[in-house]
Amino acid sequence: DQQVKQNSPSLSVQEGRISILNCDYTNSMFDYFLWYKKYPAEGPTFLISISSIKDKNEDGRFTVFLNKSAKHLSLHIVPSQPGDSAVYFCAASASNFGNEKLTFGTGTRLTIIP
Amino acid sequence: DVKVTQSSRYLVKRTGEKVFLECVQDMDHENMFWYRQDPGLGLRLIYFSYDVKMKEKGDIPEGYSVSREKKERFSLILESASTNQTSMYLCASRGQTGGTGELFFGEGSRLTVL
C-alpha cells in the first residue's frame, strides 16, 4: 500500500517558468514532510521540509505548500533552471525525530527545457 | 563537510552469493537506514538502526539482514543474492533531534545479480 504517492512520473517545463510537483499521502499520522532531489548515479539530496503546523515554507526558488485537510503537498520551483532537471521525491514522517522512518513517494522526473 | 560513504559504487554478483554492502558516516549520527531504489517504486526502506547493535525492520526486509557493531558503520547483508535484488541501494543517516529532520544519503551502490 503506497502511503505517499506522486502521480506524475514525469514533467517537462520551459526554462524560466514555474515547475509544480505534487504529492499526496494517506496516513493521517504523517506530520513532517520533505522534498529530495536526485541526479542519476548520485544519492538524493535534501531540498526543503515542512511541518504540519505550517502551510507554507520557502527557501530561495523553492516553496513547499501543505494542505493537511486534502493530505496534499506541492513543491514550486520558480524560476526553473536547467540544473533543476532531476528526479524529485517527496517523503513523509510522523515527526522530525531522528529515529522516525521516512516514507518516500515514487518520484517525479522533472525536465527543464532550455 | 558531512559524509556518508558507501564502500562499492557498482557490484556484479551471481545468484546465491553472499553480498555485503558497507556504509560509514562521519557525523556521529545515531540513526542509520538502508533503502533500495527501483524504477516506478521510489525508495523503499529495508532496515534501519537507531543505536549500536539495534535494528528495526523496514517495509521490505525479506532476504536481507543488517549489522551495526559500531556507531559509524551500518552493513547490509544479502545472505543468498537473487536476481530480484538487482537494484540501487542507498544508505542514509540522521541525527537524533530536531532540525530539518533530513536524511543524509550516500552516493548509492548499484548491485546487479546475474
Side-chain angles (χ1 to χ4, degrees), chain B residues 25-40:
Chain B
Q25 51 97 2
D26 65 1
M27 295 165 280
D28 201 35
H29 283 165
E30 291 81 1
N31 307 287
M32 297 187 74
F33 304 80
W34 276 105
Y35 285 86
R36 62 178 280 179
Q37 182 199 357
D38 299 288

Side-chain angles (χ1 to χ4, degrees), chain A residues 27-49:
Chain A
N27 189 338
S28 57
M29 297 299 292
F30 288 149
D31 222 29
Y32 202 77
F33 305 89
L34 303 88
W35 283 94
Y36 278 82
K37 173 181 178 178
K38 187 180 184 300
Y39 293 121
E42 292 184 14
T45 53
F46 170 76
L47 270 178
I48 192 167
S49 63

Side-chain angles (χ1 to χ4, degrees), chain B residues 20-76:
Chain B
F20 290 89
L21 299 177
E22 304 281 337
C23 176
V24 177
Q25 51 97 2
D26 65 1
M27 295 165 280
D28 201 35
H29 283 165
E30 291 81 1
N31 307 287
M32 297 187 74
F33 304 80
W34 276 105
Y35 285 86
R36 62 178 280 179
Q37 182 199 357
D38 299 288
L41 296 175
L43 276 68
R44 294 179 293 166
L45 182 64
I46 304 171
Y47 266 98
F48 65 104
S49 167
Y50 53 87
D51 202 352
V52 175
K53 296 194 186 294
M54 305 302 288
K55 61 185 179 185
E56 292 281 341
K57 291 180 180 179
D59 300 315
I60 51 163
E62 296 79 18
Y64 303 94
S65 63
V66 290
S67 171
R68 186 136 182 236
E69 296 296 320
K70 293 185 177 181
K71 188 177 185 179
E72 67 271 17
R73 189 177 296 270
F74 192 34
S75 302
L76 181 69

Side-chain angles (χ1 to χ4, degrees), chain A residues 45-65:
Chain A
T45 53
F46 170 76
L47 270 178
I48 192 167
S49 63
I50 188 166
S51 161
S52 62
I53 61 173
K54 292 181 151 186
D55 54 19
K56 177 182 172 181
N57 190 25
E58 220 170 325
D59 184 1
R61 296 185 300 114
F62 302 93
T63 303
V64 56
F65 295 91

